[in-house]
Amino acid sequence: MQKMIDKINKLKKEKNAVILAHFYQPDEIQKVADFVGDSLDLSRKAADCDADIIIFCGVHFMAGSAKILSPGKTVMIPEINAGCPMADMVTAEDIKALRKEHPNAAVVAYVNSSVEVKAECDICCTSSNAIKIVNSLPNDEIIFVPDKNLGSFVARFTDKKVIFFSGYCPVHNRIKMDDIKKAREAHPGVEILVHPECPAEVVAAADFAGSTAQIIDYASSSDKSEFVIGTEHGVLYPLEKKNPDKKFYMLAENFTCRDMKKTELSDVLECLETGKNEIEIDEEIRKKAESSLVRMLEIK
């Protein structure tokens, strides 16, 4: 493995490439990445970095977002089949139909969506800025796609009418109140931190709900030494790295996104060696999608 890492580091320098990795990626991918973060942080890194090549270790919509924001850069995804079931649940045609039903509503699309959906929405959001994005809009009605659970979470913090879509993350959505009950029994007095992609009742029963980065920040800044974590298993790597003296327990077994775990070091190396899996987007669609992402990034 070390020989492969050495090759990756050598090629990165030679080709002015940068490796971005999501918190849910395998540990070895996070180790070799130049930047590790959640969707919002990586979106900004992709837009701001001066690299010629971006290797995006994540799922397809993330690499697509990087290409939208950096059309002049070569963007590659190491594992072309790493998709997002939630992103596939909503289409551009769905957005058009919803606009006809709710002509006065603004459409907010979670970044966990396709390029085509981003091109049809008014603004994008991530789990860390969704509340701020929704409250920044002048519209009294908001169509929120695709995640019904994140939409429900946002609705708790706004006076606007939020119209939910029916999408969800299969990994987070399978968490049940029984998991909360078992965690409370197994770890009495220990705070439960969950992602707002979990069902509404789970989020309401937890001690804290936030994006992956917000969960990491919360646990790292707290003076408490134990936490139950309610998001994808990959987050344990940065949590334990930042907090070697703290203990973390998963809220449920097999809390793992298969797509996020498809990326291997050999895939990263192959991207750098051969240029495989380059992301290409129709320029007209890219420009439309870019406006929704830029609007999001302009809201601090």
Side-chain angles (χ1 to χ4, degrees), residues 178-281:
D178 192 49
D179 295 309
I180 294 281
K181 180 183 177 182
K182 288 178 180 177
R184 296 284 188 206
E185 291 173 351
H187 309 287
V190 175
E191 286 188 326
I192 299 176
L193 320 181
V194 304
H195 196 286
E197 287 180 14
C198 291
E201 62 272 19
V202 170
V203 172
D207 298 291
F208 175 81
S211 70
T212 312
Q214 288 168 340
I215 286 173
I216 293 170
D217 290 344
Y218 183 94
S220 299
S221 61
S222 173
D223 57 2
K224 296 182 179 179
S225 60
E226 295 180 272
F227 299 91
V228 173
I229 303 299
T231 191
E232 212 275 346
H233 188 270
V235 75
L236 288 183
Y237 176 75
L239 276 170
E240 291 170 347
K241 184 178 179 181
K242 279 192 168 188
N243 306 280
D245 297 327
K246 296 184 179 182
K247 292 183 179 180
F248 301 98
Y249 314 101
M250 293 303 297
L251 178 57
E253 294 181 4
N254 301 318
F255 209 145
T256 302
C257 174
R258 294 179 183 177
D259 284 278
M260 279 290 192
K261 297 298 188 278
K262 287 180 178 178
T263 310
E264 298 181 0
L265 280 176
S266 57
D267 298 317
V268 177
L269 179 58
E270 193 174 350
C271 275
L272 287 164
E273 288 179 331
T274 69
K276 75 164 187 174
N277 300 342
E278 182 176 351
I279 301 295
E280 296 182 358
I281 301 173

Side-chain angles (χ1 to χ4, degrees), residues 4-20:
M4 198 178 299
I5 291 172
D6 291 341
K7 283 184 180 180
I8 288 170
N9 289 331
K10 181 174 181 289
L11 286 169
K12 276 196 309 182
K13 292 179 181 179
E14 291 176 359
K15 299 191 175 186
N16 189 28
V18 65
I19 297 174
L20 307 181

Side-chain angles (χ1 to χ4, degrees), residues 30-298:
Q30 294 192 46
K31 287 177 184 177
V32 80
D34 298 288
F35 300 104
V36 179
D38 64 1
S39 296
L40 180 59
D41 188 32
L42 293 179
S43 294
R44 287 181 170 144
K45 287 289 192 303
D48 297 340
C49 75
D50 58 2
D52 295 318
I53 297 172
I54 297 172
I55 310 293
F56 209 120
C57 301
V59 293
H60 211 276
F61 76 80
M62 296 179 180
S65 294
K67 185 63 177 180
I68 290 168
L69 293 169
S70 306
K73 298 172 185 175
T74 298
V75 179
M76 290 176 279
I77 181 169
E79 175 48 69
I80 197 68
N81 294 314
C84 173
M86 176 167 60
D88 294 339
M89 291 177 188
V90 63
T91 67
E93 293 305 313
D94 291 324
I95 305 299
K96 293 174 183 176
L98 285 164
R99 283 195 186 278
K100 288 182 179 179
E101 293 176 24
H102 308 280
N104 297 318
V107 179
V108 178
Y110 194 16
V111 291
N112 300 38
S113 56
S114 68
V115 174
E116 291 76 14
V117 165
K118 289 181 175 72
E120 292 297 329
C121 75
D122 295 298
I123 190 169
C124 289
C125 74
T126 70
S127 54
S128 61
N129 67 9
I131 296 168
K132 184 181 290 187
I133 294 293
V134 166
N135 284 324
S136 74
L137 299 171
N139 310 65
D140 294 325
E141 290 187 340
I142 304 295
I143 296 169
F144 194 95
V145 300
D147 187 7
K148 63 181 181 180
N149 293 330
L150 181 57
S152 176
F153 177 70
V154 170
R156 292 169 51 190
F157 301 94
T158 184
D159 293 328
K160 301 175 187 290
K161 179 183 178 182
V162 182
I163 300 155
F164 310 136
F165 195 67
S166 56
Y168 57 89
C169 168
V171 177
H172 287 90
N173 194 60
R174 69 169 176 252
I175 304 305
K176 307 299 179 188
M177 285 300 296
D178 192 49
D179 295 309
I180 294 281
K181 180 183 177 182
K182 288 178 180 177
R184 296 284 188 206
E185 291 173 351
H187 309 287
V190 175
E191 286 188 326
I192 299 176
L193 320 181
V194 304
H195 196 286
E197 287 180 14
C198 291
E201 62 272 19
V202 170
V203 172
D207 298 291
F208 175 81
S211 70
T212 312
Q214 288 168 340
I215 286 173
I216 293 170
D217 290 344
Y218 183 94
S220 299
S221 61
S222 173
D223 57 2
K224 296 182 179 179
S225 60
E226 295 180 272
F227 299 91
V228 173
I229 303 299
T231 191
E232 212 275 346
H233 188 270
V235 75
L236 288 183
Y237 176 75
L239 276 170
E240 291 170 347
K241 184 178 179 181
K242 279 192 168 188
N243 306 280
D245 297 327
K246 296 184 179 182
K247 292 183 179 180
F248 301 98
Y249 314 101
M250 293 303 297
L251 178 57
E253 294 181 4
N254 301 318
F255 209 145
T256 302
C257 174
R258 294 179 183 177
D259 284 278
M260 279 290 192
K261 297 298 188 278
K262 287 180 178 178
T263 310
E264 298 181 0
L265 280 176
S266 57
D267 298 317
V268 177
L269 179 58
E270 193 174 350
C271 275
L272 287 164
E273 288 179 331
T274 69
K276 75 164 187 174
N277 300 342
E278 182 176 351
I279 301 295
E280 296 182 358
I281 301 173
D282 176 83
E283 182 60 14
E284 184 178 348
I285 293 175
R286 190 202 67 79
K287 284 183 177 179
K288 290 177 67 179
E290 181 182 34
S291 64
S292 64
L293 280 173
V294 169
R295 288 189 195 112
M296 175 188 78
L297 293 173
E298 286 174 345

